Amino acid sequence: MATSQKRFVGRKEYFGSLIYDRERGDYIPFDWDATYIFEESLKSNLDTVFKKMDGRLTLQSFQTFVQLCQSIELLDAQGRFTGEMLPNPPAPNILSAPLRVHLTVTNECQLRCRHCSQKSRDALPGELTLEELQRLFDDLAASGVQEVTIAGGEPFAREDILPIVLYARQKGLNVNLSTTGLFISRVTAKKLAEVGLKSIRVSFDGATEKSYDYFRGKKGAYRRAMRGIKAIREIFEKTPITIHTTIMKQNMSELLTLARMVQKLRCDTWSVDYVKPQGFAAQESRIWLTREESETVFKALSRIAENSSVRIEMAHFPYRTQRKVIYRGFGCVGANLYCYISSQGNVAPCSFTIDYFPAGNVRKSSIKEIWQTSDAFKKFRGFPGNETCHKCDYFSSCRGGCRIRAIMATQNGSAIDPNCFVMPQPAATAGGMMR
């Protein structure tokens, strides 16, 4: 459904360039020599390009690089770059724009989840209109952003959700859709499939009808969610589907049952995170996990992962991960790789930081201007960290874990993530690895 565009699109960065593969939905970082080869290959043949490099690479290294790029179709048979390089200049020491934007299109949600991090479940005054969202997608595409996650509240509370997704796709943005699944029928799923989605994430927190409806605060929610997930899986045969579960005291005992359910529903990934004491969840202290319970959950999930075909993710847990860390300094991916935009256009490092680090509003400034110049983002990126994290073997990928958990617990953005149980133990002997 997106307008005709090349598979690969690149943008200049302080270390060289990032090339986004639209088909795989993944970024590949390259240094300045590789970036030079891509650009010069459109002007000269490979022999001339190698000579212009004036000894910066050996002939063997140059030929190996060309062969690798041809194997993934980044260079064609003649050695020409098959993508497009955006004209946007790099920014000093930070990415020129976020890799992905998490966008809430409405705050409205019919559920009454006990673990909800929002302060209200109603639509907020002055939420972005369809026209304003279209201008936002124009801005994101121009800045070099290639992915947007559209969420809520419940995004299907908006009657114009399909036109919203359609326009984002027409701008060439890969769209991830996050939903409760309660409002997706086979008809709706077919319409979404025609537009095209990169992935779908469905929140699901209870393994049984009784526990699910209890957590969601609405009778009959479990059955509707199950119908929605089955419709999505039926229509979106090849689209990755993630089940996202917020872990609380009350569903710790359901981990194995939930894992089997995700597998039975033929979903691709099970994403797990811990409840944060924010919004409505701040009033539900009975559901919060202690540090010891967090460790128990992690070890249980590690054992499940060893015998499950479902990929398990704990993206916000302070532990070694498989993700690419292509930013400098201390802190999580918020304001470093990704950012959040609320339904009213307010920008922050992530949805949990909207009250702590308000960075601007897209009605007043472009996303690139906010990303590169906002004092809030500079502060969030500037936490020096702590000695314990810097000495940890996992720091190169973890970078200190979730910052908002540390801030809520200690009021200190450089503190240890309170859910981390790795340190002060030697990291090499701590726990298992998530797949």
Side-chain angles (χ1 to χ4, degrees):
M1 183 62 66
T3 54
S4 178
Q5 291 178 314
K6 294 183 178 181
R7 173 181 171 182
F8 297 102
V9 58
R11 61 187 217 197
K12 300 282 187 64
E13 301 295 350
Y14 65 89
F15 50 79
S17 63
L18 275 175
I19 306 296
Y20 184 73
D21 184 341
R22 287 190 170 105
E23 289 185 10
R24 294 182 62 244
D26 193 19
Y27 287 91
I28 312 171
F30 290 97
D31 61 19
W32 280 113
D33 285 338
T35 305
Y36 179 83
I37 293 171
F38 294 145
E39 293 189 306
E40 288 299 312
S41 71
L42 298 174
K43 307 173 187 175
S44 309
N45 61 43
L46 288 178
D47 289 339
T48 303
V49 173
F50 177 71
K51 291 176 182 178
K52 285 183 177 181
M53 297 194 72
D54 196 25
R56 295 202 299 273
L57 290 177
T58 65
L59 179 59
Q60 183 177 358
S61 297
F62 180 82
Q63 290 174 338
T64 299
F65 174 77
V66 169
Q67 290 170 0
L68 287 172
C69 289
Q70 287 176 328
S71 70
I72 61 172
E73 301 179 345
L74 193 52
L75 296 176
D76 64 18
Q78 288 71 44
R80 293 187 297 261
F81 179 49
T82 59
E84 57 178 333
M85 192 70 72
L86 299 177
N88 306 1
N93 299 318
I94 63 169
L95 295 182
S96 60
L99 302 187
R100 180 187 302 134
V101 166
H102 184 103
L103 170 66
T104 294
V105 292
T106 181
N107 194 70
E108 182 178 350
C109 183
Q110 292 184 357
L111 298 178
R112 296 295 180 264
C113 300
R114 299 176 185 277
H115 55 284
C116 180
S117 62
Q118 299 179 165
K119 295 179 180 179
S120 169
R121 299 181 175 108
D122 299 322
L124 299 176
E127 292 190 331
L128 296 171
T129 65
L130 174 60
E131 291 74 19
E132 288 175 319
L133 287 168
Q134 290 173 337
R135 288 196 292 271
L136 173 60
F137 294 144
D138 291 341
D139 180 44
L140 295 180
S143 72
V145 175
Q146 300 298 324
E147 284 192 29
V148 59
T149 295
I150 294 178
E154 170 51 61
F156 285 91
R158 285 191 67 136
E159 295 181 355
D160 56 358
I161 184 61
L162 288 174
I164 290 171
V165 175
L166 174 61
Y167 192 85
R169 293 292 296 124
Q170 289 174 336
K171 296 304 297 184
L173 296 169
N174 269 348
V175 175
N176 307 288
L177 185 65
S178 183
T179 174
T180 61
L182 272 68
F183 300 92
I184 296 184
S185 62
R186 292 184 77 258
V187 173
T188 305
K190 285 182 178 179
K191 291 180 179 179
L192 284 170
E194 292 173 0
V195 174
L197 297 173
K198 180 187 175 230
S199 70
I200 301 173
R201 188 176 91 153
V202 182
S203 55
F204 204 99
D205 307 294
T208 67
E209 183 172 0
K210 181 179 179 180
S211 63
Y212 183 96
D213 288 357
Y214 169 78
F215 292 131
R216 294 295 189 180
K218 192 174 183 66
K219 189 175 178 60
Y222 175 88
R223 296 188 180 186
R224 291 177 62 186
M226 290 295 284
R227 284 198 297 268
I229 295 171
K230 290 176 181 178
I232 293 170
R233 183 72 287 173
E234 179 184 350
I235 304 302
F236 289 88
E237 296 181 358
K238 297 181 180 180
T239 301
I241 298 175
T242 295
I243 297 295
H244 177 76
T245 300
T246 300
I247 301 298
M248 301 160 270
K249 283 183 184 292
Q250 287 77 5
N251 63 1
M252 285 177 58
S253 62
E254 297 185 336
L255 294 177
L256 183 57
T257 309
L258 280 164
R260 289 172 176 167
M261 184 204 72
V262 174
Q263 190 168 0
K264 185 177 180 180
L265 289 169
R266 297 186 296 119
C267 295
D268 304 275
T269 303
W270 186 25
S271 172
V272 180
D273 198 5
Y274 299 131
V275 62
K276 295 181 176 66
Q278 191 174 40
F280 288 102
Q283 306 165 23
E284 297 275 354
S285 59
R286 294 176 300 167
I287 69 176
W288 305 347
L289 295 178
T290 65
R291 179 176 175 274
E292 290 73 25
E293 288 169 333
S294 299
E295 181 175 3
T296 298
V297 168
F298 183 84
K299 290 181 176 179
L301 289 170
S302 298
R303 291 191 295 270
I304 292 171
E306 292 175 358
N307 302 293
S308 175
S309 61
V310 175
R311 181 170 176 262
I312 301 178
E313 287 184 345
M314 295 187 73
H316 301 108
F317 192 79
Y319 215 72
R320 182 177 293 169
T321 68
Q322 300 300 317
R323 68 172 181 258
K324 301 167 186 169
V325 180
I326 50 175
Y327 61 90
R328 297 173 177 173
F330 178 85
C332 60
V333 296
N336 287 298
L337 300 183
Y338 311 137
C339 74
Y340 168 74
I341 302 176
S342 77
S343 62
Q344 296 171 307
N346 297 315
V347 183
C350 76
S351 61
F352 298 103
T353 63
I354 195 71
D355 293 330
Y356 296 84
F357 296 92
N361 190 285
V362 295
R363 285 184 169 120
K364 300 178 181 178
S365 306
S366 70
I367 194 65
K368 180 181 288 188
E369 180 182 356
I370 295 171
W371 178 264
Q372 295 187 11
T373 67
S374 162
D375 289 338
F377 276 6
K378 290 178 181 178
K379 182 177 180 181
F380 200 80
R381 296 178 186 126
F383 296 131
N386 60 81
E387 185 177 3
T388 298
C389 286
H390 282 294
K391 287 183 177 180
C392 178
D393 290 346
Y394 298 147
F395 179 71
S396 62
S397 60
C398 168
R399 296 295 172 90
C402 178
R403 288 302 85 213
I404 195 60
R405 281 199 296 245
I407 290 168
M408 285 191 289
T410 68
Q411 306 302 309
N412 180 4
S414 289
I416 298 173
D417 185 325
N419 281 90
C420 179
F421 56 84
V422 175
M423 295 299 289
Q425 303 173 50
T429 63
M433 284 291 295
M434 297 303 295
R435 292 191 299 174

